[in-house]
Amino acid sequence: MIRKRTRLFAGLLLSLALLPVPGAGAVQEDPTAEQTLELATSAQLQDEMPVLHHVEKVTKVPWYYLAAVNQYEMGIHWKKNKDIPNKSAIQIEVPTEKWSGPVNPKQEDNNPVTIKIFGGMGLDGNKDKAADRTNPEDALFAMAKWLGADGTHEEAIRRKIWDYYQDGIVVDRITGYARIFREAGTTDIHGNSFPIPKRYNYSYRSTWGDPRGWGGRRIHEGCDIFANQGTPVLSTATGVVEVIGWNRFGGWRIGIRDLNNIYHYYAHLAGFDKGIKRGSIVKPGQVIGYVGASGYGRPGTSGKFPPHLHYGMYRDTGAREWAFDPTPHLRKWEREMRKKKR
C-alpha cells in the first residue's frame, strides 16, 4: 500500500512539474473509540508535503493555505470518503457549477477551453488536455489558482476563500488551519489527550442522552467528568479556540475547533488559563482552564451542582452540525494516558 501511494504521488509531482509558471506564456453515527480522531491524511502525510510545496512554487500560493483548504474539504466530506480505500491525500471537491461555469450547458465539462469561455474555474493541472474536477491534480491546481487570483497575501486569500464558500465562519476556520500548519511547518499533526491530568482524581460514566430540565427539556449532549474544584482542564486535540466566555447553560466555557472540523466543548469551568483567548492555537495536553461549577444562570452563577467538566463533541459537515457521544473517545484517550510514564 505504501509503495502504491508513493507511486501515485510521484506521478502527481511529475505531472505538476509540467504546469506553466504564472506569467510565462440531531444525533448521528460517528467513529467508535477504535476509529481514532487522527487526521484524515495521516496515512499519506509524507507524500502530501512535497506536492503542496511544489504547487506553492508554481502558483506562489503559500502551501499552508492549500493544506488548510484541503483539510477543511476532508472534514466536510468525511462521511462520503471515510470508506474509500487508498484515497488521495488531496480531497478538494469543486462543485460542478463552479468548475464548469454556472451557465455552461455541459455541467460535467472537462474541456479547458469551453470551461474558460463559460467562466468556470476548472483547469488542466496534469497536462492531459482535460480539466477533470474529480482528478486530485486538476482540483488542487485549480484551487491554488483561484486562491491566488487577487494576490497571495493573507487578506487577498481570505477574500477568495469568502468568494468560494460565501461563509465568514469557514474563512476563519480555514485561516486557523493555515496558522496551525504554518506554525508546525508540516501537516503531520496528530495525537489526543484525556482532558484531566493523570495525577488528579476524577470519575465519569456515560451520561450521553440523559434528560436535562433547566432551561427547557433537552438531552445531555456530552459526558460529565467529576473532579475537584480547580483541577486543570486539558485540550484534547490540536485546534483553534473558536468560542470563549459565558453561556447561561455551560457557564464559563471554551469551544475548540480541531483539524477534523470537530468542535470540542468544555463547560462549567471555574476560569480560563492565562493567555487563552479567541483565536488561540492549542495543543493536546495544554491547560486551557479549570474545573468548576459555573452555569445555569446569569454570568458568575456557580454552585448549582457539584464541580465537574462537561465535555462535548460536535461534527460539522458544512451543511449541518450534530453532537455525538464522546465517551468512547475519552476511554481510549484515558487508556493511552495511563500507559504513559508520569
Side-chain angles (χ1 to χ4, degrees), residues 260-271:
N260 286 303
N261 208 18
I262 291 175
Y263 182 75
H264 301 253
Y265 179 65
Y266 310 77
H268 306 315
L269 302 176

Side-chain angles (χ1 to χ4, degrees), residues 212-287:
R212 290 292 184 268
W214 192 88
R217 294 187 64 181
R218 52 200 170 88
I219 67 165
H220 190 233
E221 293 184 343
C223 182
D224 289 337
I225 305 174
F226 290 88
N228 293 332
Q229 183 85 11
T231 297
V233 173
L234 311 179
S235 175
T236 58
T238 297
V240 179
V241 176
E242 197 167 271
V243 174
I244 186 169
W246 183 264
N247 175 283
R248 70 189 186 101
F249 293 101
W252 299 116
R253 60 44 165 124
I254 297 177
I256 296 171
R257 181 74 53 179
D258 76 8
L259 286 164
N260 286 303
N261 208 18
I262 291 175
Y263 182 75
H264 301 253
Y265 179 65
Y266 310 77
H268 306 315
L269 302 176
F272 311 117
D273 197 53
K274 185 177 180 181
I276 297 295
K277 59 185 179 180
R278 188 176 183 274
S280 294
I281 294 175
V282 297
K283 299 177 181 179
Q286 178 179 340
V287 176

Side-chain angles (χ1 to χ4, degrees), residues 39 114 164 214 285 315 330 336:
L39 294 189
T114 54
Y164 186 86
W214 192 88
R315 181 173 285 282
L330 289 170
E336 293 172 348

